[in-house]
């Protein structure tokens, strides 16, 4: 299944969602956020889906929120949609894997902290220029980042807009592992093998449990319903890891978007955004004239 900005494919229990606007560095507008939210919510209840992989097409993973007003639907409420978008990451019960194929900016970075596994290209960098744009944190980053990369590094990243590299992301524990760009297909194969190996182990365990516990119907029933099906096992482990702060994450998400809504109407933001758009327009003219990419 595909549309103008997103591609989805389901194969052997793995749903791959690809942000597909390489000419715009896979920037995300409210309409695309809404589509991703719907896809994740539907996948959560689809028994055919075991894993979800998020990735981008082209050289960028995503340049974050598309602030170009001409490309945004005025009938959509970006604050409500943004809050629901982040909530879909918080609530997603299955394994959510980010395959970062290139640079990530803004909300494309903050949502990585809500994924279960993150693999990134060695050519990736990560940047959240909130203060540069006159904005405030989103994606629960004000809560998650200090817990993942430490309070001092989170200050540098969130408050002072420090870019960090793929190697730093791995060193800090922000990503699971890195890969060279030419190794992308190998990473996909490894993810599929991981899914297949789990499935095989489950079938073996099923035979052992059935044979060993045949005489104990009660225990056999408990094992079958709670442990045998491997997607359920992963979902239980994820639920256990997430349940202790899930309520907090939703509260953080709500508060962050309230602050962000106030920032969007502030004079500081409007002045910074005008400067940014003027610089972007000037850069675009250079791209057309000299072929700069």
């Amino acid at each position: 299944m595909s549309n103008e900005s997103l591609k989805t494919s389901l194969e052997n229990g793995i749903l791959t969602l690809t942000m597909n606007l390489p000419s715009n560095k896979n920037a995300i507008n409210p309409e695309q956020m809404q589509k991703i939210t719907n896809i994740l919510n539907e996948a959560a209840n689809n028994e055919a889906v075991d894993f979800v992989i998020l990735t981008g097409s082209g050289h960028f993973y995503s340049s974050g929120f598309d602030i170009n007003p001409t490309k945004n639907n005025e009938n959509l409420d970006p604050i409500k949609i943004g809050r629901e978008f982040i909530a879909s990451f918080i609530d997603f019960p299955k394994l959510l894997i980010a395959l970062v194929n290139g640079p990530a900016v803004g909300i494309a970075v903050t949502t990585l902290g809500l994924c279960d596994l993150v693999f990134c290209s060695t050519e990736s960098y990560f940047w959240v220029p909130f203060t540069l744009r006159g904005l405030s944190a989103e994606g629960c980053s004000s809560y998650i980042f200090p817990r993942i990369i430490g309070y001092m590094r989170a200050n540098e990243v969130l408050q002072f807009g420090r870019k960090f590299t793929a190697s730093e992301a791995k060193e800090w524990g922000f990503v699971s592992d890195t890969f060279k760009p030419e190794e992308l297909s190998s990473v996909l194969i490894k993810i599929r093998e991981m899914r297949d190996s789990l499935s095989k182990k489950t079938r073996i365990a099923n035979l052992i449990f059935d044979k060993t516990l045949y005489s104990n119907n009660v225990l056999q029933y408990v094992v079958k319903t709670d442990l045998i099906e491997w997607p359920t096992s992963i979902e239980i482990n994820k639920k256990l890891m997430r349940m202790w702060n899930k309520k907090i994450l939703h509260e953080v998400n709500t508060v962050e978007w309230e602050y962000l809504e106030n920032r969007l109407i502030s004079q500081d933001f409007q002045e910074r955004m005008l400067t940014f758009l003027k610089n972007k327009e000037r850069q675009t003219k250079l791209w057309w004239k000299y072929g700069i990419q």
Side-chain angles (χ1 to χ4, degrees):
M1 173 180 152
S2 66
N3 56 49
E4 292 182 359
S5 59
L6 297 170
K7 293 194 299 184
T8 60
S9 63
L10 177 59
E11 183 180 353
N12 297 326
I14 299 176
L15 176 65
T16 303
L17 195 167
T18 306
M19 294 173 281
N20 188 39
L21 281 174
S23 61
N24 200 31
K25 299 179 181 178
N26 298 322
I28 311 169
N29 61 33
E31 188 175 6
Q32 292 157 345
M33 282 186 183
Q34 204 168 44
K35 290 175 181 178
I36 294 172
T37 298
N38 292 337
I39 290 170
L40 288 179
N41 289 341
E42 289 171 7
N45 299 305
N46 186 346
E47 293 183 359
V49 177
D50 300 322
F51 292 2
V52 169
I53 296 176
L54 298 174
T55 191
S57 59
H59 299 296
F60 252 74
Y61 175 67
S62 173
S63 57
F65 187 74
D66 189 349
I67 50 82
N68 189 336
T70 62
K71 296 181 180 180
N72 293 330
N73 188 336
E74 293 181 357
N75 296 321
L76 298 177
D77 180 355
I79 299 300
K80 179 176 180 292
I81 289 171
R83 185 171 59 246
E84 292 175 349
F85 175 69
I86 299 303
S88 69
F89 280 75
I90 296 171
D91 290 332
F92 192 68
K94 301 175 182 179
L95 204 64
L96 188 56
I97 303 171
L99 201 56
V100 183
N101 54 296
V105 180
I107 202 165
V109 179
T110 58
T111 47
L112 296 177
L114 295 169
C115 293
D116 301 298
L117 295 172
V118 179
F119 302 99
C120 76
S121 162
T122 52
E123 295 186 357
S124 302
Y125 64 76
F126 304 87
W127 188 33
V128 281
F130 294 139
T131 52
L132 183 64
R133 303 282 183 260
L135 296 171
S136 56
E138 33 77 347
C140 297
S141 56
S142 63
Y143 177 81
I144 291 177
F145 276 33
R147 285 159 178 77
I148 296 177
I149 64 176
Y151 189 80
M152 294 302 173
R153 286 186 182 131
N155 273 337
E156 290 185 73
V157 170
L158 295 178
Q159 297 199 57
F160 299 101
R162 176 184 168 181
K163 284 184 185 179
F164 56 103
T165 64
S167 60
E168 286 176 322
K170 183 178 179 181
E171 179 187 347
W172 298 352
F174 190 74
V175 303
S176 311
D177 206 352
T178 60
F179 61 88
K180 295 178 181 178
E182 62 269 21
E183 296 172 344
L184 176 60
S185 58
S186 299
V187 176
L188 287 169
I189 291 172
K190 287 180 181 179
I191 292 173
R192 294 188 187 105
E193 288 176 346
M194 179 174 64
R195 188 265 176 201
D196 292 341
S197 66
L198 285 170
S199 185
K200 290 174 184 177
K201 288 178 182 178
T202 298
R203 285 196 292 269
I204 294 171
N206 193 11
L207 290 172
I208 295 173
F209 282 128
D210 280 351
K211 184 175 180 180
T212 306
L213 303 171
Y214 183 77
S215 61
N216 191 333
N217 290 329
V218 176
L219 187 55
Q220 184 187 31
Y221 174 77
V222 171
V223 172
K224 278 188 173 180
T225 55
D226 286 350
L227 299 180
I228 291 301
E229 292 297 330
W230 76 261
T232 304
S233 178
I234 286 182
E235 288 171 25
I236 288 173
N237 285 324
K238 178 169 181 176
K239 182 178 181 179
L240 287 169
M241 293 176 70
R242 181 60 61 85
M243 69 188 298
W244 313 112
N245 64 357
K246 187 174 182 179
K247 182 180 178 181
I248 294 174
L249 289 174
H250 279 297
E251 291 173 352
V252 172
N253 184 35
T254 298
V255 172
E256 283 184 344
W257 283 100
E258 287 174 353
Y259 273 90
L260 192 57
E261 185 174 18
N262 290 328
R263 293 304 306 163
L264 291 174
I265 60 175
S266 69
Q267 183 177 351
D268 178 40
F269 166 74
Q270 293 173 18
E271 290 175 352
R272 289 173 184 269
M273 194 49 50
L274 282 173
T275 301
F276 171 74
L277 290 173
K278 287 178 181 177
N279 290 337
K280 189 174 183 181
E281 182 181 2
R282 189 157 51 246
Q283 289 175 350
T284 301
K285 289 179 180 178
L286 287 173
W287 293 342
W288 280 105
K289 186 175 182 180
Y290 299 108
I292 299 172
Q293 298 296 325

